[in-house]
Amino acid sequence: MTYEKLSIVDILHGYEQTRLKNSRIEQDRRSEVYKKLPRIKELDEEIRLSYLNAAKMGINNKATDDIEKIKNKAKELSHERSLLLTSSGYPADYLSPIYDCPVCQDTGFVNQQKCSCFRMKIIDALYIQSNMQNVFEKENFGTFSTQYYSKEVPESKGYSPYDNIISILERAHNFIDSFDKKNTAGILIYGETGLGKTFLTNCIAKELLDREHSVFYLSTNELFDQILSNYIMNNNPDYEDLYNYLYTCELLIIDDLGTELTNNFVRSQLFEIINKREISGRKTLISTNLSMKDLRDRYSERIMSRIIDNYTVFNIYGDNIRYQKRKNAINQAN
């Protein structure tokens, strides 16, 4: 499934189905009212003919006063219609056109620009494509807390974990704000387990999805053991769309690099992805628990030099946040 197929074909088809649904409701309402109140049908026909005559007179440059009289008569008929509806227990607008979105009248566009409802449908579709639609409510920049990062400066570092994460958050926002520019090929986030790497990754993904960018989120096992293994090694055509999407999505996220069984196939495919996406101007975000040395030892100097030279690198350090949260929960329970 590609972004183009989903956002254009499926969404526009959805609008068409919405219009058909509402049209059926309108027809059912009209049949119901006409049967119960025949005068309403007469009024509708008189109103229609009044406006048709006014239009014809306008085309033929007839007197403005005559046109105005016809329009005023149509308004009187419309008023009678509304009174008859309400006195019979119907809302005054019961026979008015029905729209899920009154702004664009269920077309998706206003003045040839995407309506806000269209943009929301794209974002919803992108959430589904991202493979992470159930996570972003809890993990986003609004819920990211810096309180778990110490303000004490470790001997091996130049500044505290707190100052470091503040700097990283600022650079993450810069990455998002300049996403359309070719100033970086992506982001590498590394650090020990439990420091918020995946949380930060989700924050970046959600923000870009909310700005209508296509994001594809995969663990390394999903990437190598499922998509690449099935499509390349086993020639399974069912994975062709997912394989193509690896190279066409605007941001590819590879989470937990290093947890897969690393071999020559993995190394070659990782380089292929990094290289091709960089050449095409599409960005990649990689998170890993491995150190820079371990990454170089495991994946080769060739791969790491591409990342170091072209990616923005975030090194998150400090105390294990998961451990801190568990400790706080135990203390509160006691």
Side-chain angles (χ1 to χ4, degrees), residues 12-128:
L12 289 178
H13 180 67
Y15 277 114
E16 182 182 353
Q17 294 303 306
T18 296
R19 293 193 297 271
L20 289 172
K21 174 202 71 175
N22 289 336
S23 177
R24 284 193 292 268
I25 295 172
E26 291 171 22
Q27 290 172 11
D28 290 344
R29 288 184 177 185
R30 194 169 289 108
S31 297
E32 170 198 350
V33 171
Y34 284 177
K35 183 177 181 180
K36 185 176 180 180
L37 303 170
R39 175 58 182 157
I40 294 289
K41 185 176 182 179
E42 295 173 3
L43 288 169
D44 280 349
E45 183 63 15
E46 290 180 45
I47 292 167
R48 185 185 71 81
L49 290 174
S50 294
Y51 282 114
L52 182 61
N53 288 333
K56 287 179 179 178
M57 293 176 73
I59 292 172
N60 295 323
N61 296 317
K62 295 294 179 65
T64 304
D65 289 344
D66 293 337
I67 296 174
E68 199 61 33
K69 286 178 184 178
I70 293 175
K71 288 183 176 179
N72 288 335
K73 179 60 178 176
K75 289 179 182 178
E76 291 175 9
L77 294 171
S78 296
H79 182 64
E80 180 186 345
R81 180 179 184 269
S82 296
L83 288 177
L84 185 53
L85 280 170
T86 54
S87 64
S88 302
Y90 292 103
D93 63 350
Y94 190 68
L95 297 181
S96 298
I98 300 170
Y99 302 115
D100 284 14
C101 178
V103 177
C104 68
Q105 299 184 351
D106 297 334
T107 65
F109 296 88
V110 179
N111 297 325
Q112 297 183 329
Q113 299 295 319
K114 278 185 241 169
C115 181
S116 59
C117 70
F118 194 108
R119 291 195 294 271
M120 286 309 300
K121 290 178 187 295
I122 290 177
I123 291 170
D124 289 343
L126 291 173
Y127 268 47
I128 293 170

Side-chain angles (χ1 to χ4, degrees), residues 227 230-232 234-244:
I227 297 176
N230 277 292
Y231 183 67
I232 295 175
N234 299 326
N235 296 314
N236 188 335
D238 293 341
Y239 287 83
E240 183 176 5
D241 283 343
L242 287 172
Y243 176 78
N244 290 334

